[in-house]
Structures are given as C-alpha cells and as structure tokens.
Amino acid sequence: MHIVFSAATPEDFKRLLALRLSVMREHLERLGRFDSDRARARFSAGFAPAFTRLVHLDGAFAGCVTLRPGGEGIELEHFYLRPEFHGQGTGSRILACLLEETDQAGQSVHLGVLKQSPARRFYERHGFVFTHAGEFDDYFIRMPRQGTPSLAR
C-alpha cells in the first residue's frame, strides 16, 4: 500500500464533511448526540485547509487528517478514513507516518476522542496517554520519541 498526502483546499469541504458524517454518525447516535446541522457547523469552524491533508492509498482518496500547530505541540484533528479502509491496519500505517514526522520535529501530539469511541483504543495502542475528560470528549497526548523506527513504509 502506497500512502500519499496532498494538500486540502477549501473546495474539499463538502467531500470531507460527508466523510466525517459517514464515519462519526454511528458513534454520535449511540451517545444521542448526532445532529447533522451541528456536525456541519463544528466541522466548518474547525476546517483549516492549510493544515489539512487528503490521504490517498494506491492513488485512491481514502480520507483526511489535520495537523494543526498548537500552543504546546501539534493538534491532531479530523482523522477520518472511508469505512472500506477500516479494520485493515490502514489507519495505523497512516498514523505511523504522521507520528514519525512529529517525532522528527520534536513535537508532542494532542487530540480529543469522542467518549466511548473505539478510536480511544486505537490511539492508546500508538502511545497516546489520557490527560483529562471533557463533557463529550476524552483528551490525550503523545510525547515525541527519538530513534523510533518507521512502521509506515
């Protein structure tokens, strides 16, 4: 599998919103929190094409991820993969590429995960540590690692 990242543009908003809704709907419904208008507003408020990358696998659009510089490191946001790529190790390979980049930059990575989401276990397997709970999300950090071999290539 060949992973390629490309820059997002404002024109990608609709397609990435549709991806977000398809990935998050089930989890939000389980918590009684799904509202398409609120999801659109939240994604719109956080959509930053300058920091968002499209993910392509073997030439096909597979998803997106945002790495936004923050006050204390990098904020990992909007990491969504099309459902047909779930459960195959694809997310792990993509995340390994991203973490190799942040490790080389000596940056910690921060993220929030929807409460009761299976994504929590995914991030914990990749070295993220719980820091605190919010009303709807749990928050994690991963400190930079030195000399970690890449799993991505």
Side-chain angles (χ1 to χ4, degrees):
M1 169 185 353
H2 184 66
I3 300 168
V4 175
F5 297 104
S6 65
T9 68
E11 291 74 30
D12 291 308
F13 176 83
K14 283 185 181 180
R15 134 168 106 160
L16 299 183
L17 173 63
L19 175 62
R20 181 189 194 281
L21 292 174
S22 73
V23 171
M24 295 296 297
R25 183 179 194 125
E26 175 186 340
H27 306 293
L28 291 166
E29 285 177 341
R30 185 177 42 233
L31 296 175
R33 298 267 315 142
F34 181 77
D35 176 317
S36 61
D37 291 334
R38 181 176 52 220
R40 178 183 179 81
R42 186 171 181 195
F43 187 70
S44 179
F47 181 59
F51 303 115
T52 301
R53 302 174 190 186
L54 305 180
V55 179
H56 305 274
L57 301 174
D58 296 329
F61 171 71
C64 66
V65 63
T66 299
L67 291 177
R68 183 190 312 260
E72 297 181 21
I74 301 293
E75 299 291 331
L76 181 109
E77 304 169 328
H78 305 302
F79 185 14
Y80 306 121
L81 289 179
R82 291 179 22 211
E84 61 265 32
F85 293 104
H86 293 187
Q88 303 170 25
T90 304
S92 290
R93 289 194 278 294
I94 293 166
L95 185 59
C97 288
L98 300 170
L99 294 176
E100 181 178 347
E101 182 180 317
T102 59
D103 286 347
Q104 288 177 0
Q107 294 286 312
S108 60
V109 181
H110 306 257
L111 59 84
V113 175
L114 184 67
K115 287 184 182 289
Q116 299 178 21
S117 171
R120 178 182 180 133
R121 289 184 308 279
F122 170 78
Y123 289 114
E124 288 173 334
R125 283 194 313 270
H126 290 279
F128 285 82
V129 178
F130 175 79
T131 58
H132 66 283
E135 185 176 0
F136 301 109
D137 296 317
D138 290 328
Y139 295 90
F140 296 81
I141 186 172
R142 181 185 175 276
M143 300 307 291
R145 304 218 169 113
Q146 299 299 323
T148 304
S150 173
L151 304 173
R153 297 200 206 317

